Amino acid sequence: MASTSGFLGGIAGNPADVLNVRMQHDAALPAAQRRNYRHAIDGLIRMTREEGWRSLFRGVWPNSMRAVLMTASQLASYDGFKSILLRHTSLTDNLTTHFSASIMAGFVATTICSPVDVIKTRVMSAKESEGLAKLLARIYRVEGAGWMWRGWVPSFIRLGPHTVATFLFLEQHKRLYRKFKDIPDD
């Protein structure tokens, strides 16, 4: 279920993600190559008019795969870390355990998604379409294996707190739901 929701979310959010990558990347381009979108709606309209509707889905497969990997890795690793912490430490099912398990889940998700993030960003910011195999060969030739971890720290700074907030909210919601439905805690 997590993989399916991640996949569908990746597809639905792809046009906004392409636009976001392009608008952020625009300032790094020489003035003659900039797209100069005035705002998000202008960007979406111009992308569709100038490049066709398919431009909205450039990088949809890496983006969707990233969403699958992130959702599945967050959920699976959170449950695993929480279980380990409860079994092998003196921690109980409380905020400290939830925070610890979720920060570790954020670390796992960031690490698993990093290579796909790099590919997704390169595909979405490109002016021309390039096959995945050619793209990977070119990146590896120019940057070596380190390309897979480019941007890991900023990604973790974003994804770590997001994962913590998600799971802290989830655990509190579960606790309130159990109380409301008069379901005993595990």
Side-chain angles (χ1 to χ4, degrees):
M1 186 58 88
S3 296
T4 302
S5 66
F7 183 77
L8 293 175
I11 291 171
N14 202 76
D17 210 2
V18 172
L19 182 63
N20 182 39
V21 167
R22 287 180 172 200
M23 290 178 82
Q24 289 178 352
H25 187 251
D26 219 28
L29 295 172
Q33 294 179 0
R34 292 183 187 156
R35 293 177 175 100
N36 293 317
Y37 300 138
R38 289 179 291 157
H39 47 75
I41 302 301
D42 176 57
L44 292 171
I45 291 169
R46 284 187 43 207
M47 283 170 58
T48 305
R49 281 187 187 151
E50 296 168 12
E51 303 173 52
W53 65 270
R54 286 190 171 134
S55 67
L56 300 174
F57 294 95
R58 179 172 281 191
V60 70
W61 297 119
N63 197 29
S64 297
M65 289 303 106
R66 177 198 180 275
V68 166
L69 290 171
M70 183 187 337
T71 306
S73 66
Q74 280 178 321
L75 291 171
S77 64
Y78 175 78
D79 286 342
F81 287 130
K82 180 181 170 189
S83 178
I84 289 168
L85 289 170
L86 291 173
R87 256 184 292 153
H88 300 290
T89 70
S90 61
L91 293 174
T92 60
D93 193 1
N94 60 24
L95 201 57
T96 302
T97 303
H98 304 158
F99 178 84
S100 301
S102 62
I103 199 76
M104 290 186 279
F107 183 89
V108 168
T110 303
T111 303
I112 287 174
C113 291
S114 187
V116 182
D117 273 340
V118 174
I119 293 167
K120 173 187 77 94
T121 301
R122 302 284 173 94
V123 169
M124 289 180 172
S125 63
K127 287 237 179 200
E128 310 170 351
S129 187
E130 179 179 22
L132 184 60
K134 286 184 181 179
L135 173 68
L136 290 173
R138 182 176 53 78
I139 294 173
Y140 184 77
R141 187 175 55 252
V142 173
E143 301 176 39
W147 71 267
M148 292 186 287
W149 316 116
R150 186 171 302 276
W152 188 95
V153 171
S155 290
F156 182 72
I157 290 170
R158 180 183 55 83
L159 190 57
H162 172 270
T163 304
V164 169
T166 298
F167 287 110
L168 291 182
F169 177 79
L170 173 69
E171 292 289 354
Q172 294 309 306
H173 181 264
K174 284 175 17 183
R175 183 165 287 157
L176 288 171
Y177 180 79
R178 284 185 191 121
K179 186 176 182 179
F180 179 74
K181 292 287 191 172
D182 204 24
I183 300 170
D185 285 338
D186 296 338

